[in-house]
Amino acid sequence: MKAFVVHELTHPSKIPLTTDWPLPTLKKDQIMVDVYAAGLNFYDILQAQGRHQTKHPLPFVLGSEFTGRVSHGFPIPAGCQLKPGDRVFGVASGAYADKVAVSVNSVLPFPDSLTFEQGAGLFVTWPTSYEALVGRAKLQSGEWVLVTAAAGGVGMAAVQLAKGLGAKVIGAAGSQEKLDIVKKYGGADYTVDYTKKGWQQEVLKITNGRGVDVIYDPVGMITDCLKCIAWKGRALVVGFAAGAVEKVPMNLVLLKNISLVGIHWGRYQVCEPGHMPSVYKAVLELLTSGRVSPPVVYKDVYTLDTLGDGLHALESRKTWGKAVVRVKEDDSRIEKAKL
Ligand SMILES: NC(=O)c1ccc[n+]([C@@H]2O[C@H](COP(=O)([O-])OP(=O)(O)OC[C@H]3O[C@@H](n4cnc5c(N)ncnc54)[C@H](OP(=O)(O)O)[C@@H]3O)[C@@H](O)[C@H]2O)c1
């Protein structure tokens, strides 16, 4: 099968596609899935170079979040309700390939109303943003939310979810193109360019001097954002896309009675697996009911052959929304289009 295989640790832009990789071997609790689309994540770039905390023995297939269909001709563990051909989304190591073996605990049925590309970020990206806003920050309808890197993968999902949950959203990003996208596709009420000095004054102006109730920060710029947080606001620590683990002066936390709140979605698998189904259910309900618009997919959809370019574009801050690789064409949609 075709697979994006890391034979030696290097930057993904230097990795050629492997066309004769063996099919994955199924473990007892796993099903085989034909991958249709997979989400690009920053940690792929780190893993390919051996710079991520998760280290796979060489050689290994890169990729994690995916959508696809349960493969025909492979065993399905007893008790698993899925059948060959079912549409699914999930997470498994080795998703940048024609087929992936996935634990039955890491795969769910995928709704017909979304395309495989739209679903490629549904297992990690979307629940991260939902659990951050709802589970951790207890976001209420009518509150102000500031999202940094609002055009990025988790940022755009946060903008869309916060809007769907009735919040007033300010999206912050680093270029006019991205700000336009955050408004047009994400539905943000306001946008600010956070590369411009004093951008926090703009946020204060928008909120009539009050500041925002919730900060959603995947960049590592909480300290900067605290200049425009409201009294008793909540600041979500989502990630450090800027590269460095941020250190926040604790006097700022004290002065405005604010809460710093962490979110690490992957860790729920270990610490609170029983909570995860309710999050997936809520995200899917918001998306399928139309209360939240479908996930925004970056305009250039990559293939396994051009995946290295896609990861390079992600790293270079060129992408917006969820950057996705299409592994297999959705034939059911082609059939529908013919009717
Ligand atoms: N906590 C969790 O459970 C969880 C789950 C998923 C992801 N994350 C983390 O969230 C962060 C964002 O992930 P993502 O998938 O949204 O990434 P993404 O789509 O690549 O977006 C990241 C954005 O961050 C902004 N940015 C600011 N400074 C940057 C810099 N120095 N280098 C690169 N980008 C910079 C860029 O937007 P502008 O050009 O607009 O500045 C960039 O587009 C990552 O650190 C990831 O590890 C956390």
Side-chain angles (χ1 to χ4, degrees):
M1 66 171 188
K2 282 198 279 183
F4 196 81
V5 185
V6 181
H7 290 279
E8 59 184 68
L9 298 177
T10 185
H11 194 276
S13 57
K14 297 192 182 130
I15 298 176
L17 181 63
T18 302
T19 52
D20 56 354
W21 193 247
L23 291 180
T25 314
L26 278 184
K27 294 190 185 135
K28 253 199 349 244
D29 72 326
Q30 288 182 324
I31 58 169
M32 190 73 87
V33 170
D34 294 341
V35 179
Y36 278 61
L40 273 55
N41 283 293
F42 197 82
Y43 53 71
D44 297 325
I45 301 159
L46 299 178
Q47 281 184 8
Q49 299 171 92
R51 289 172 49 214
H52 191 263
Q53 66 262 27
T54 308
K55 298 198 194 301
H56 302 290
L58 291 169
F60 65 94
V61 182
L62 205 60
S64 57
E65 284 182 285
F66 67 85
T67 46
R69 287 184 188 275
V70 178
S71 305
H72 288 268
F74 293 88
I76 293 180
C80 174
Q81 304 298 315
L82 294 165
K83 326 179 285 306
D86 281 357
R87 287 160 58 92
V88 289
F89 71 106
V91 69
S93 179
Y96 294 154
D98 287 330
K99 283 189 168 34
V100 69
V102 53
S103 156
V104 291
N105 297 324
S106 299
V107 65
L108 288 167
F110 178 55
D112 281 340
S113 56
L114 298 175
T115 66
F116 285 115
E117 286 79 25
Q118 287 170 335
L122 220 46
F123 211 83
V124 179
T125 306
W126 276 69
T128 298
S129 295
Y130 181 89
E131 179 61 11
L133 294 169
V134 177
R136 304 294 290 132
K138 312 287 180 212
L139 178 67
Q140 302 297 313
S141 176
E143 285 192 314
W144 281 102
V145 181
L146 169 68
V147 179
T148 62
V154 290
M156 184 72 92
V159 170
Q160 291 179 256
L161 283 165
K163 276 305 294 171
L165 293 163
K168 293 173 282 188
V169 181
I170 305 171
S175 70
Q176 191 55 49
E177 185 204 6
K178 288 188 179 182
L179 296 179
D180 293 344
I181 278 156
V182 171
K183 224 176 202 172
K184 184 169 169 196
Y185 299 132
D189 299 287
Y190 297 89
T191 54
V192 293
D193 183 340
Y194 61 11
T195 62
K196 298 221 165 101
K197 209 165 172 280
W199 61 270
Q200 298 92 337
Q201 288 306 317
E202 244 183 279
V203 173
L204 287 170
K205 212 159 123 193
I206 293 165
T207 57
N208 289 324
R210 188 174 168 275
V212 293
D213 302 291
V214 173
I215 290 165
Y216 178 101
D217 177 40
V219 177
M221 50 184 296
I222 296 270
T223 307
D224 281 352
C225 294
L226 291 184
K227 289 185 182 155
C228 56
I229 195 167
W231 170 251
K232 287 190 178 172
R234 293 89 77 199
L236 285 159
V237 183
V238 184
F240 307 104
V245 175
E246 191 183 6
K247 294 187 172 54
V248 177
M250 284 304 165
N251 59 323
L252 301 180
V253 178
L254 178 149
L255 284 170
K256 283 186 176 171
N257 268 30
I258 66 153
S259 306
L260 287 182
V261 194
I263 168 74
H264 183 181
W265 177 247
R267 200 66 195 156
Y268 278 77
Q269 191 69 266
V270 179
C271 299
E272 216 181 326
H275 178 61
M276 298 172 85
S278 66
V279 174
Y280 286 116
K281 186 166 177 269
V283 169
L284 289 177
E285 267 172 17
L286 285 167
L287 286 169
T288 54
S289 67
R291 268 179 73 195
V292 170
S293 51
V296 176
V297 176
Y298 180 53
K299 65 175 173 56
D300 296 337
V301 173
Y302 298 94
T303 62
L304 284 177
D305 293 276
T306 59
L307 179 56
D309 299 338
L311 289 169
H312 179 64
L314 187 89
E315 189 180 26
S316 321
R317 297 165 79 163
K318 288 207 177 93
T319 64
W320 39 259
K322 190 70 195 168
V324 165
V325 54
R326 182 183 294 136
V327 178
K328 194 170 156 62
E329 201 69 51
D330 182 1
D331 29 24
S332 65
R333 277 179 190 263
I334 295 168
E335 287 308 312
K336 271 186 208 160
K338 278 190 199 155
L339 291 174

